[in-house]
Amino acid sequence: MERIEDHPVLQPEIRKTLNFYFDGKVCTALEGEAISSALTANGIKIFSYHKKDSSPQGIFCANGQCAQCSVIADGLTVKSCVTPVCEGMKVVTLRGAATLPKVSCAAEFGRVEELEVDALIIGGGPSGLAAAVELGKLNVNTLIIDDKDRFGGKLVLQTHRFFGSVEDCYAGTRGVEIAEKLGGQLKEYPSVKAWANACCLAVFSDKKVGVLRGGTYCLVRPKAVINATGAREKSLAFPGNTLPGVYGAGAFQTLVNRDLVRPAKKLFIVGGGNVGLIAAYHALQAGIQVVGLIEALPECGGYKVHADKIKRLGVPIYTRHTILRADGANGVETVTIAGVDAKFSPLPGTERTFKADTLLIAVGLNSVDEFHAQAREAGMDSFICGDAEEIAEASAAMFSGKITAHKVLKALGVMAAPVPQFWFDRLQVLKSRPGATGTPAAKAHAKLVYPVLHCCQEIPCNPCVTVCPKKSIKLAGDSIMDLPRFTGECIGCFKCLLICPGLAVTMVDYRKDAKNPSVALPFEIGRGLVKKGGRVRLTGWEGADLGSAEVLDVKDFKAENTLIVIVKASPETADLAAAVKLYPTEAGEKSAAELSKAEDETIICRCERVSLGEIRAAIRAGVRDLNQLKAVTRAGMGACGAKTCSSMLLNIFRSEGVDAKEITAFTRRPLFVEAPLGVFSDVKCRTEAEEKADWGGF
Ligand code: FES
């Protein structure tokens, strides 16, 4: 079983164990678990074989967006990532096209309930929850819906501490804990109704919003609607991109951090933004080796503290590199990368192949803003916040949710005053891209004990300043983008080490031994990995090897889920030591150049398995309308409604030299996700099996 039982931050919930069947074999699951997670926990990676060419498919998004994880469960084709497993359920690999269940006549039609609210919030992630809390404070009749079984959105997948400011967005607190805090606050406001497992299907021209909650459909009539629908991940085109074992970053974090199942032993990551860097750290926390991370740009786009944190643990980061392909018979077995030139073209002779069973794609996000567009078309008072408005950190999303709630208060006439300008200014700071990077400040301390701040890139972050009981850590200027500096007295309390989201603070202590100082290092990978009396390898702030050191003590701060590892150092290394290294770096094997191999066979539309070559041919034949492209190639025709392939299709038009103005966009589908047609009239249908059972089998 691939379950994570010893996570340094997350504790497995005690849940009943169930038995179910997969292709006739008995498997076990936890009560309420998604089928996809249960299958992964049982070591199963292939969920279906595609109808077009029988290619094996596994889970990709784990978010109900694509349909790659479809299986047959008790006779029905379902998306396994959003369908809970039940005792005795018979799950079967989907082979070929999904078929509809046979139903007999409609038994009875019902009535669709309608509900009036002042504000409807679509999406219960960081921005939606923050907006709901603000509306709740002023007793506004609010409904917040989320399609998952718990609120928090991506927060529930984040085990690391957040950046930002302590006053505005819980900086220094882990994402999972922020989700609990915001969810708990909602309960204090009786005017806010929160519906989990409630999926928005569409916003209609009569200003009603269709919501499917469980199996029941209802229409909501809001005076204002807040779209806090977050973002979906971008896909990437390369040979092997649909193999089982290729995941979006969100899917990987869902399996590892929400469901505590381990989908990989050796992971390779594409993308050096914050999502890719954090996912690498989450993998390490889950006991998964990260054999490499690539970024096409000269520098990682994510925070340097995140990049340094994983480098120090032994993860090699290859900038100016791209993925050439993933290979394997029934899943990922190897990943081949190459260096790129200034135009991002692979450089022959620079290929390397790594052994990896899983490949994580973290190449950016697209806003999910379809409902906002539908609501605007319908003439509704519609607002948008968080990633749905602009992709940024969750700290900024929370603050934008708060601002948006105040815009709604004004629109509803509850508040007369406009949103203060300084809130917008603060939001801009929270959304800031990383600023200038320097080297860590010189540490010419005459103190016997002092913190060393290894943080050297301007990012919006201030928890170390806020937490110091002696107020000895100060920002170099007035903005939270300014770098922190140690200026006064240190009492060796470890508080700045424990709160730093980048694990970028250590503490040097000469009090016991004037010649051999000790260094305290924060560590949150695994409790059993470092022991008092043992030896560890030390690394500098960017991962440089500093040799081995004796572990003098390991202090377990359980409330913070962080260990402080105290090692013996020399005066030369004490100020430089930033972390304990976990893995030796693996060098990829040089592989033969096959740069152009199978490029045209790369799958772009994964639902319909339409290749780059087919799409290029259509574009070269003059197709400029995405709807025509769909008719000609079936790209965009699949179960995900083109959510996965549309941005890649636009990229291909661009790479073929087609001006964006010439392209006609897809006609928007009326419904956001698949829904049984019967729900719109609350019809009760009976399957043939039920009918037979009622007739005693005749
Ligand atoms: S990937 Fe789903 S329609 Fe293209």
Side-chain angles (χ1 to χ4, degrees):
M1 291 292 285
E2 303 292 350
R3 293 205 181 272
I4 300 164
E5 273 148 11
D6 52 355
H7 196 282
V9 174
L10 303 165
Q11 275 75 47
E13 266 178 69
I14 311 289
R15 284 195 271 172
K16 206 171 130 193
T17 303
L18 307 174
N19 284 330
F20 72 105
Y21 301 88
F22 182 68
D23 287 345
K25 250 182 53 202
V26 183
C27 299
T28 57
L30 299 178
E31 192 170 37
E33 186 169 52
I35 297 173
S36 55
S37 296
L39 292 176
T40 307
N42 284 274
I44 294 156
K45 285 197 170 182
I46 299 175
F47 294 7
S48 64
Y49 291 92
H50 198 274
K51 62 177 192 264
K52 186 168 175 184
D53 58 6
S54 300
S55 298
Q57 300 190 114
I59 188 166
F60 176 69
C61 81
N63 195 22
Q65 300 275 314
C66 77
Q68 209 178 284
C69 66
S70 296
V71 293
I72 300 171
D74 285 342
L76 278 180
T77 305
V78 295
K79 290 180 180 176
S80 64
C81 69
V82 288
T83 309
V85 72
C86 315
E87 177 69 54
M89 185 181 253
K90 292 189 176 60
V91 181
V92 179
T93 304
L94 173 65
R95 291 169 195 274
T99 50
L100 287 172
K102 288 208 171 105
V103 288
S104 71
C105 57
E108 60 183 275
F109 290 93
R111 239 188 89 243
V112 171
E113 293 295 329
E114 294 201 11
L115 174 71
E116 244 176 73
V117 294
D118 288 334
L120 169 68
I121 303 172
I122 307 172
S127 61
L129 284 174
V133 168
E134 291 302 305
L135 295 174
K137 283 179 191 167
L138 285 162
N139 208 24
V140 174
N141 174 15
T142 302
L143 172 64
I144 177 167
I145 59 170
D146 195 273
D147 59 352
K148 303 292 177 306
D149 63 356
R150 66 173 134 151
F151 282 83
K154 292 282 184 275
L155 288 173
V156 303
L157 310 181
Q158 309 301 348
T159 59
H160 61 280
R161 294 177 197 282
F162 271 43
F163 295 86
S165 72
V166 174
E167 327 62 79
D168 295 327
C169 48
Y170 303 96
T173 306
R174 296 181 196 279
V176 275
E177 290 157 8
I178 298 173
E180 274 168 31
K181 279 181 203 255
L182 288 171
Q185 278 183 39
L186 275 195
K187 295 193 187 115
E188 292 170 22
Y189 304 113
S191 71
V192 180
K193 276 194 268 314
W195 289 0
N197 291 317
C199 181
C200 181
L201 295 183
V203 180
F204 298 108
S205 55
D206 58 359
K207 303 188 182 179
K208 292 178 187 171
V209 181
V211 176
L212 187 60
R213 185 189 185 197
T216 308
Y217 180 66
C218 83
L219 287 165
V220 181
R221 278 186 285 137
K223 290 187 184 132
V225 57
I226 296 180
N227 298 273
T229 35
R232 65 173 67 94
E233 289 172 67
K234 289 183 183 166
S235 202
L236 192 64
F238 58 90
N241 63 345
T242 61
L243 277 173
V246 177
Y247 295 98
F252 185 80
Q253 289 174 320
T254 299
L255 291 169
V256 170
N257 291 346
R258 187 193 71 183
D259 296 343
L260 288 167
V261 296
R262 194 179 285 116
K265 290 192 171 58
K266 283 186 162 214
L267 175 69
F268 200 92
I269 297 178
V270 180
N274 274 336
V275 175
L277 297 171
I278 291 168
Y281 190 63
H282 292 165
L284 296 169
Q285 286 186 314
I288 295 164
Q289 185 179 356
V290 183
V291 294
L293 180 148
I294 53 168
E295 166 59 51
L297 294 168
E299 298 287 340
C300 285
Y303 291 167
K304 181 164 167 50
V305 279
H306 279 320
D308 289 346
K309 192 160 70 172
I310 62 167
K311 275 189 211 165
R312 296 196 291 256
L313 289 162
V315 177
I317 296 182
Y318 303 93
T319 53
R320 292 185 199 274
H321 273 73
T322 190
I323 178 155
L324 290 184
R325 59 179 186 274
D327 292 295
N330 284 313
V332 176
E333 291 170 20
T334 60
V335 174
T336 302
I337 64 168
V340 291
D341 62 17
K343 289 185 177 154
F344 303 109
S345 300
L347 291 165
T350 62
E351 306 81 7
R352 280 160 192 259
T353 297
F354 293 81
K355 287 201 173 89
D357 58 9
T358 304
L359 177 63
L360 191 148
I361 307 298
V363 290
L365 301 165
N366 285 324
S367 295
V368 175
D369 53 7
E370 290 90 341
F371 297 131
H372 185 52
Q374 286 179 332
R376 295 299 272 264
E377 272 167 31
M380 296 172 78
D381 253 344
S382 182
F383 300 82
I384 190 162
C385 57
D387 276 354
E389 182 184 28
E390 183 184 345
I391 307 297
E393 291 300 298
S395 45
M398 281 183 268
F399 205 73
S400 91
K402 177 174 162 169
I403 289 177
T404 305
H406 282 255
K407 289 184 193 167
V408 169
L409 289 170
K410 181 143 175 50
L412 293 174
V414 179
M415 261 188 166
V419 183
Q421 180 55 41
F422 77 91
W423 283 18
F424 292 101
D425 299 341
R426 207 172 274 182
L427 177 61
Q428 281 318 312
V429 173
L430 291 173
K431 282 182 180 172
S432 303
R433 302 277 312 131
T437 302
T439 47
K443 292 154 217 98
H445 305 296
K447 313 272 176 201
L448 287 178
V449 58
Y450 53 88
V452 180
L453 308 171
H454 300 273
C455 160
C456 61
Q457 186 187 44
E458 291 172 356
I459 54 171
C461 190
N462 71 1
C464 57
V465 174
T466 313
V467 81
C468 178
K470 304 301 282 183
K471 303 283 168 240
S472 298
I473 302 179
K474 297 192 170 47
L475 295 175
D478 295 335
S479 163
I480 60 165
M481 292 291 284
D482 289 313
L483 292 175
R485 294 281 178 256
F486 170 65
T487 54
E489 191 192 343
C490 173
I491 54 171
C493 68
F494 297 131
K495 284 193 173 153
C496 51
L497 277 71
L498 292 168
I499 204 167
C500 175
L503 301 188
V505 185
T506 57
M507 200 185 78
V508 176
D509 193 342
Y510 284 88
R511 287 176 297 186
K512 283 197 182 137
D513 187 337
K515 290 210 176 85
N516 296 299
S518 67
V519 183
L521 308 152
F523 187 73
E524 46 176 35
I525 298 297
R527 287 199 158 71
L529 293 172
V530 184
K531 295 211 169 61
K532 182 176 175 178
R535 293 195 75 78
V536 289
R537 282 207 89 75
L538 296 182
T539 60
W541 63 296
E542 285 185 309
D545 191 87
L546 297 178
S548 78
E550 180 190 342
V551 179
L552 299 173
D553 200 3
V554 178
K555 292 187 186 297
D556 192 346
F557 288 82
K558 290 208 167 69
E560 284 83 8
N561 282 315
T562 304
L563 300 178
I564 296 288
V565 180
I566 300 174
V567 298
K568 191 171 175 176
S570 67
E572 292 73 42
T573 55
D575 286 352
L576 299 176
V580 168
K581 187 167 182 169
L582 205 58
Y583 294 109
T585 304
E586 279 188 23
E589 291 163 22
K590 291 269 183 193
S591 81
E594 288 181 79
L595 296 185
S596 62
K597 186 195 168 215
E599 203 200 15
D600 264 359
E601 287 164 26
T602 299
I603 297 298
I604 302 299
C605 174
R606 50 181 69 228
C607 291
E608 294 293 321
R609 288 191 76 78
V610 185
S611 70
L612 179 58
E614 290 171 86
I615 292 160
R616 274 180 176 160
I619 295 172
R620 287 172 193 175
V623 172
R624 296 291 180 268
D625 179 340
L626 283 165
N627 301 290
Q628 194 191 353
L629 183 76
K630 186 197 273 188
V632 174
T633 66
R634 292 189 69 84
M637 182 80 94
C640 81
K643 291 190 202 98
T644 321
C645 61
S646 56
S647 62
M648 283 197 293
L649 293 173
L650 291 173
N651 286 343
I652 300 167
F653 273 99
R654 230 169 279 142
S655 69
E656 290 292 303
V658 178
D659 192 322
K661 287 192 218 98
E662 288 180 55
I663 306 166
T664 306
F666 278 126
T667 306
R668 204 173 290 130
R669 287 186 175 198
L671 297 184
F672 186 67
V673 292
E674 309 91 312
L677 275 179
V679 299
F680 297 103
S681 53
D682 195 28
V683 73
K684 305 274 178 294
C685 288
R686 292 153 63 82
T687 63
E688 283 192 341
E690 281 165 343
E691 200 120 286
K692 260 192 192 162
D694 270 7
W695 286 87
F698 293 101

